[in-house]
Amino acid sequence: MKEQLAERCIDCPKGFFCVNDKSQDPRPCPQGYYCPTGTGFDWKPCPMGTYGDAMGLGNETSELISLIF
């Protein structure tokens, strides 16, 4: 993200997404997806056979629940 008058750009934090130059107001990654650092609308779906039971997941292994049948 780019703060006004900042010396450098700051990435959107892990577990959140930032869009429309609203990087100072990150939103939690939606349930069922994970958002690595720097995510916009390119959310990553949870791997097949798993799901994310919470919002704000930052990687594909944080708090995923495996579906075992």
Side-chain angles (χ1 to χ4, degrees):
M1 79 181 142
K2 175 73 172 143
E3 292 184 11
Q4 204 168 23
L5 303 176
E7 291 182 16
R8 63 181 179 85
C9 294
I10 301 170
D11 288 330
C12 191
K14 180 169 64 170
F16 294 85
F17 68 99
C18 302
V19 294
N20 297 332
D21 201 27
K22 301 253 187 217
S23 52
Q24 295 173 355
D25 184 27
R27 296 183 182 185
C29 197
Q31 190 172 1
Y33 295 87
Y34 66 97
C35 297
T37 301
T39 299
F41 273 132
D42 56 337
W43 312 325
K44 310 295 184 213
C46 294
M48 188 173 282
T50 65
Y51 72 96
D53 196 25
M55 294 173 62
L57 298 180
N59 60 52
E60 64 183 34
T61 58
S62 59
E63 300 179 39
L64 292 181
I65 298 173
S66 294
L67 302 175
I68 301 173
F69 295 97

